[in-house]
Amino acid sequence: MLATANPLFSSSNSSFLLQATNPLPIKLQSLAAPFTTFSPHGKFTLANFAKASRFLAPVGFPLTKHLLVQCSCLELPSILQSEFGLIYSFFAEMGFNEKETGLLLEQNPALKSASFDSIRVHVLLLESVGIKGAELYHLIDKSPDVLTAKEIVPLIHFVLNDLEGKVEPAQLRRLLIATVPRFLAGFDEKVKLLIKRGIPQEKIVHVLNNVNLTKALSLKSIEEIEKTVTYLSRFGGVDLIVRRPMILNFDLDTQLIPRVELLKEISGGDEDATGIVLHKLPAILSYSVKHTGGHVELLRSFAGLTDPQIFKIFSVFPNVVSASKERKLRPRIEFLKQCGLSSDEIFKFLTKAPVFLGLSFEDNLVHKLVVLVKIGYENETKELAAAMGAASRTSCENLQNVIGLFLSYGLTYADILAMSKKHPQILQYKCGALEEKLEFLIEEMGRGVRELLSFPAFLGYNLDERIKHRYEVKKLTTGEGMSINKLLSVSDDRFLNQKQKKKPIPEGQSERMMKVG
């Protein structure tokens, strides 16, 4: 029996010994019952305690010579009690109280029969991949079989060795909570298959960190994964997976194939064209057939578009599928119809300004509409629709700055309206670039800003590569009074031919020619 007068038994040492060797006698009776096959070892000797010391040290209990000597005289029923004592102490270090530990042992026979050594090894492995502290506590609380399942050790070794421990701890924790241990077997082979099929080694961790590991790998056989990759190879293959790893979450037969086939159907069966759409937006495969099909049907019935036209819109703006059918698509198409656009004109509008379908009305379009009406556009006109198409390709701030810039150069709202009706794109150009061109037109070319009223397309040409270059070339032969329309609108080939025909005679050559004559 413990002698309370002995100085070796301070309150801390006494508490430790009681906890480590005989935590709850009443509970031990109920917990020890299934383990009567263990051979009793009589006294808990110094040798037995030294053998257990390698387990105690890591959990925060320093061993001393005095402690070993004192313990050597303790009498315990069997080594079983010491094992349970170590387990209770170990679980306490992870945040479990005695009641929680007792319930875990009672409710999980495999854990109750596991040795302390085995439990500790599993915990250390989990900590080695970053599952520690509160996360470790919650994992064990939800899935205590992680401390006993034979599949855990090879899984963690694969993560540490082959994947360099780079899989996010949160991903591994979700995998271990959601997956019955037997489905973890072969995890390494499935990952190696993805690498063999073309996913770069340096990208495999990115893929694993962005999928549902249970759905994408654990619950699928190697054959199923192989079939999925093979099917996707017709449309972009591993590139789709790398760019959108969660594609692997989907079932091939009930989800991926029907979604791809819907796109292929409206493309007229063109797999290459379907692959281009998937490459632009792999996330389109996240939408159900019902969702995407509803968008297609709306464009057919309400906008009057044909399947080739709809697929063209998907090709230039696949994000159309993410726009709400009732809150965005229908009202936007209704606006275009009210402006007098036919189905073919709606198609042309949407191929040039497809983002119009996805912009917020309250936060974006309504502000631009106010600006356009302010400069003179009339409601429900094709001119307003064209202006909205251009304005949808720029920000509200830039649109307002462009209007302000033109006003600062002496143009009126009526002038801006006239220019934008001829060339709606001036409303979408960046304000800074427009200012540079206006300065060059006035300062370098010596022209008036009102020349833009007859040729607003001047503002759409590249300043250095077209405007400056052609002006410098033509100035030598034509002088400074040339038409800016003729200067810029002719093709490169025609401009080059004109340049060669009007090549100036080198200085001095004309005098020699006169003497010869």
Side-chain angles (χ1 to χ4, degrees):
M1 298 294 295
L2 294 176
T4 56
N6 192 321
L8 288 176
F9 288 89
S10 63
S11 60
S12 61
N13 279 341
S14 178
S15 174
F16 157 65
L17 286 173
L18 289 172
Q19 184 182 21
T21 60
N22 192 12
L24 286 174
I26 296 177
K27 285 187 176 180
L28 263 179
Q29 290 176 3
S30 62
L31 291 175
F35 298 96
T36 54
T37 56
F38 280 83
S39 299
H41 289 266
K43 293 179 180 289
F44 190 50
T45 64
L46 176 63
N48 284 336
F49 196 92
K51 182 179 179 182
S53 66
R54 57 195 176 99
F55 305 131
L56 290 173
V59 298
F61 300 125
L63 300 176
T64 67
K65 180 179 179 181
H66 295 294
L67 185 60
L68 291 175
V69 171
Q70 185 65 39
C71 285
S72 69
C73 65
L74 291 176
E75 288 191 8
L76 297 175
S78 68
I79 192 65
L80 176 61
Q81 285 186 319
S82 70
E83 281 275 308
F84 272 105
L86 296 178
I87 290 173
Y88 268 83
S89 299
F90 194 47
F91 273 67
E93 286 294 307
M94 292 185 288
F96 291 90
N97 59 36
E98 291 179 352
K99 181 178 180 180
E100 291 171 329
T101 303
L103 286 174
L104 282 176
L105 294 172
E106 284 287 355
Q107 296 172 1
N108 297 277
L111 184 59
K112 192 186 323 186
S113 62
S115 68
F116 172 72
D117 192 3
S118 172
I119 293 172
R120 179 172 174 270
V121 166
H122 280 72
V123 169
L124 292 177
L125 282 172
L126 293 170
E127 289 182 333
S128 72
V129 290
I131 304 176
K132 302 176 180 179
E135 298 302 323
L136 178 61
Y137 170 88
H138 290 302
L139 171 60
I140 294 173
D141 185 53
K142 290 180 179 294
S143 301
D145 50 10
V146 297
L147 299 181
T148 57
K150 65 180 184 299
E151 294 85 0
I152 299 297
V153 174
L155 171 68
I156 300 300
H157 277 294
F158 175 70
V159 171
L160 286 174
N161 298 326
D162 293 70
L163 303 177
E164 301 177 349
K166 292 180 179 179
V167 179
E168 295 174 359
Q171 275 288 83
L172 291 173
R173 188 173 66 86
R174 284 190 287 267
L175 170 67
L176 295 174
I177 288 175
T179 309
V180 176
R182 63 189 176 89
F183 289 113
L184 297 173
F187 183 90
D188 55 339
E189 295 303 319
K190 296 170 185 177
V191 173
K192 290 175 182 177
L193 171 65
L194 294 176
I195 296 173
K196 180 181 177 182
R197 290 303 306 266
I199 294 180
Q201 182 76 42
E202 64 273 14
K203 295 290 186 180
I204 191 64
V205 171
H206 161 74
V207 171
L208 297 178
N209 281 332
N210 289 277
V211 296
N212 182 317
L213 291 173
T214 301
K215 289 183 177 180
L217 296 178
S218 296
L219 298 182
K220 290 181 180 178
S221 67
I222 287 184
E223 292 73 22
E224 288 176 302
I225 297 171
E226 176 81 44
K227 285 176 62 179
T228 297
V229 177
T230 299
Y231 177 75
L232 291 175
S233 65
R234 294 158 52 186
F235 307 96
V238 294
D239 182 59
L240 293 178
I241 296 173
V242 170
R243 294 183 57 210
R244 187 71 174 180
M246 67 180 297
I247 288 174
L248 289 174
N249 295 346
F250 303 128
D251 179 76
L252 176 62
D253 295 322
T254 63
Q255 294 176 308
L256 286 180
I257 291 179
R259 294 171 189 183
V260 173
E261 289 300 313
L262 173 61
L263 294 174
K264 198 169 80 168
E265 177 187 339
I266 61 173
S267 76
D270 190 334
E271 288 195 356
D272 291 338
T274 302
I276 291 173
V277 171
L278 294 176
H279 180 79
K280 284 187 175 182
L281 187 70
I284 201 171
L285 290 176
S286 301
Y287 295 95
S288 68
V289 170
K290 181 179 179 181
H291 176 92
T292 305
H295 283 57
V296 171
E297 183 55 35
L298 178 70
L299 293 172
R300 280 177 185 153
S301 59
F302 191 59
L305 304 182
T306 64
D307 280 3
Q309 289 175 329
I310 294 171
F311 188 77
K312 177 65 176 179
I313 293 171
F314 272 65
S315 299
V316 297
F317 187 61
N319 273 306
V320 65
V321 76
S322 66
S324 169
K325 189 172 62 174
E326 297 302 325
R327 287 189 300 103
K328 291 188 176 181
L329 264 61
R330 187 179 294 276
R332 305 295 184 275
I333 295 171
E334 179 64 31
F335 169 81
L336 297 178
K337 293 169 74 172
Q338 289 175 352
C339 287
L341 273 64
S342 65
S343 294
D344 286 342
E345 289 170 327
I346 290 175
F347 166 67
K348 292 176 182 177
F349 176 96
L350 293 179
T351 53
K352 292 180 180 178
V355 293
F356 175 75
L357 293 175
L359 294 175
S360 165
F361 180 76
E362 294 81 4
D363 298 330
N364 192 299
L365 294 179
V366 69
H367 300 293
K368 295 173 179 176
L369 188 60
V370 168
V371 172
L372 296 177
V373 172
K374 184 176 181 179
I375 65 176
Y377 278 99
E378 295 182 9
N379 279 323
E380 299 185 358
T381 61
K382 291 184 177 181
E383 290 83 0
L384 177 61
M388 281 298 292
S392 69
R393 296 192 288 271
T394 188
S395 68
C396 296
E397 181 183 6
N398 186 70
L399 176 61
Q400 292 172 335
N401 289 339
V402 166
I403 301 299
L405 176 67
F406 288 141
L407 294 174
S408 70
Y409 274 85
L411 296 173
T412 65
Y413 284 133
D415 295 332
I416 300 170
L417 176 64
M419 287 194 304
S420 61
K421 283 186 175 180
K422 286 185 177 181
H423 193 70
Q425 292 90 329
I426 65 170
L427 299 173
Q428 73 190 50
Y429 296 145
K430 292 182 179 180
C431 185
L434 288 181
E435 188 169 11
E436 290 181 359
K437 294 172 186 177
L438 286 168
E439 289 179 358
F440 186 80
L441 177 71
I442 296 168
E443 301 296 333
E444 299 297 328
M445 299 179 68
R447 303 305 183 86
V449 70
R450 298 193 67 79
E451 286 197 47
L452 294 175
L453 296 177
S454 59
F455 188 60
F458 170 88
L459 298 170
Y461 291 103
N462 183 279
L463 179 59
D464 293 319
E465 296 177 7
R466 189 125 177 163
I467 298 175
K468 287 184 178 180
H469 170 67
R470 290 196 175 190
Y471 174 71
E472 294 299 330
V473 170
K474 280 292 193 177
K475 185 170 67 172
L476 299 176
T477 58
T478 309
E480 297 184 352
M482 69 193 81
S483 163
I484 59 173
N485 187 338
K486 292 182 179 180
L487 174 68
L488 298 173
S489 60
V490 298
S491 66
D492 287 337
D493 290 339
R494 185 176 176 186
F495 179 79
L496 183 61
N497 290 334
Q498 291 175 349
K499 175 182 171 182
Q500 292 173 343
K501 289 178 181 179
K502 297 183 178 181
K503 184 176 181 180
I505 300 174
E507 186 178 350
Q509 183 173 334
S510 58
E511 296 180 3
R512 291 195 299 273
M513 291 175 65
M514 289 177 65
K515 289 179 181 179
V516 171

